[in-house]
Amino acid sequence: MKFDVKDIKLANRGKERIEWAEREMPVLRLIKARFQKEKPFKGVKMACCLHITTETANLAITLKAGGADVSACASNPLSTQDDVASALVKHYGIPTFAIKGEDNKTYYKHIDAVLANKPQITMDDGADLVSTILSKKRDLLPTIIGGTEETTTGVIRLRAMEKDGVLAYPIVAVNDALTKHLFDNRYGTGQSTIDGIIRATNILLAGKIVVVAGYGWCGRGVAMRAKGMGAQVIVTEIDPMKALEASMDGFEVKTMNQAAKEGDIFVTLTGDINVLDEQHFKVMKSGAVVSNSGHFNCEINIEAMKKLSKSVRRVRDFVEEFALKDGRKIYLLGEGRLINLAAAEGHPASVMDMSFANQALSAEYMVNNHDKLRKRVYSVPEDIDKEIARLKLKAMGITIDKLTKEQEEYLASWQEGT
Ligand code: ADE
């Protein structure tokens, strides 16, 4: 079996941690048990370009239990858990190509390595498999039946491909499922981003001014959790509706030009480029900490930071000090890459349970329905989404009410008024 991991001797530790995460993934466990019996992916080749974490390992194991021939690579150069990559190879027989801190060349070499298996299904987190196939490996297209996409940024890229008429096979946008983005993006990113900032810096959040750029589901989560830890939170937005919502949720809303002067800690979660730019670095307080929790590392203009600096040095793991020519210092976390995965372990397993249940069931849906689908981006079918919510509630020991017959009839009628 081919693979490329940091150190295969880390495999036993990785296995222990994968099993630890599995305890918190009851929905995926149920799916795995069914897949083991039904083998919905018998002989189907799958390429997974996902963050290589304990949670992803449980997904890959589930797909393999369903009969898939799975191979995996990282969806970000800094998000791999090296012990997990080794365990996937050694203990679960899954060819894995991922090393934490790999350079861009190695990152794409690893993507090429999973594509060498000629996948029929691609599973992306950020759409790098799809964009590599469309730009460099079109010879793979005839045997590909479909794909899935995990994250907001990837779905935006794929919808742009669909709009330009270049998307070459159907994709299920896992991110669109309510059981994905309402929970993973909000509670997952909320907790894990704060976790990453704290692990990298050991800074006390209470009393600090935290600037959250972007009030999508991820930004909402981070703002909520930072506030919960005693920070004063400023939100920046470009969307009037979200800005209004942030204000009514009790946050200060300012432009980044204003907020840049005030913030102690900055987190970008917008999916866009140069959200923190030269004009912002020029007015930041000395000691400001800047980080990103959006998918790509382009949200912070690191080149501009470098240009303003006379020297850059690493002062802690995942912390670089930029000594500016005017004497101020700005600290960049995790090279501007997703701080929750660079410096911490990403979202906790309990929330990835629902995200990856969506991945597993969407892949099954793709296998069963690809001949009816067009070269478009599809939402996760509502019945899959609802079923995952039901299973999660059951696993949490929560029972909910049912409509009475009378209530059902009332909702179905229009005659009754005041
Ligand atoms: N994205 C965010 N957190 C993650 C995790 N723990 N595993 C895989 N992908 C993630």
Side-chain angles (χ1 to χ4, degrees), residues 163-349:
K163 188 163 167 274
D164 284 352
V166 296
L167 188 64
Y169 55 89
I171 301 283
V172 177
V174 167
N175 189 69
D176 283 2
L178 298 180
T179 45
K180 199 282 184 180
H181 68 260
L182 290 183
F183 301 90
D184 167 318
N185 300 27
R186 183 169 27 170
Y187 304 111
T189 309
Q191 177 166 319
S192 63
T193 300
I194 300 294
D195 186 16
I197 292 170
I198 292 175
R199 287 202 211 188
T201 61
N202 199 24
I203 273 177
L204 181 74
L205 284 185
K208 295 287 191 310
I209 298 177
V210 173
V211 178
V212 176
Y215 204 65
W217 290 109
C218 294
R220 287 176 176 108
V222 173
M224 170 172 71
R225 293 305 182 229
K227 183 179 177 180
M229 293 191 77
Q232 200 183 311
V233 177
I234 301 174
V235 170
T236 69
E237 246 306 332
I238 47 89
D239 180 318
M241 212 62 80
K242 289 184 182 150
L244 201 53
E245 190 184 352
S247 174
M248 295 207 184
D249 284 347
F251 300 110
E252 283 189 82
V253 179
K254 301 193 172 185
T255 64
M256 188 56 91
N257 282 344
Q258 290 174 306
K261 296 182 207 140
E262 299 174 32
D264 298 304
I265 300 167
F266 294 80
V267 194
T268 55
L269 308 104
T270 69
D272 214 335
I273 192 168
N274 297 341
V275 176
L276 285 176
D277 212 341
E278 184 174 343
Q279 80 258 27
H280 307 124
F281 305 131
K282 277 186 172 158
V283 297
M284 279 181 188
K285 298 195 275 201
S286 188
V289 169
V290 300
S291 63
N292 165 51
S293 212
H295 186 79
F296 287 121
N297 64 338
C298 59
E299 303 208 18
I300 302 170
N301 187 346
I302 298 171
E303 279 312 306
M305 272 178 83
K306 279 189 192 144
K307 260 204 252 149
L308 293 174
S309 303
K310 56 177 188 292
S311 62
V312 181
R313 64 179 181 130
R314 174 158 287 242
V315 290
R316 277 168 71 93
D317 286 350
F318 309 112
V319 186
E320 280 168 301
E321 179 187 80
F322 285 67
L324 305 197
K325 289 172 192 153
D326 64 11
R328 285 173 305 125
K329 288 176 175 158
I330 297 180
Y331 295 94
L332 173 70
L333 304 190
E335 301 167 21
R337 300 197 187 275
L338 327 112
I339 191 59
N340 60 338
L341 283 143
E345 293 169 67
H347 306 347

Side-chain angles (χ1 to χ4, degrees), residues 51 53 55-56 125 340-341 345-347 352 356:
H51 301 297
T53 64
E55 293 75 26
T56 300
D125 186 330
N340 60 338
L341 283 143
E345 293 169 67
H347 306 347
M352 293 312 293
F356 285 163

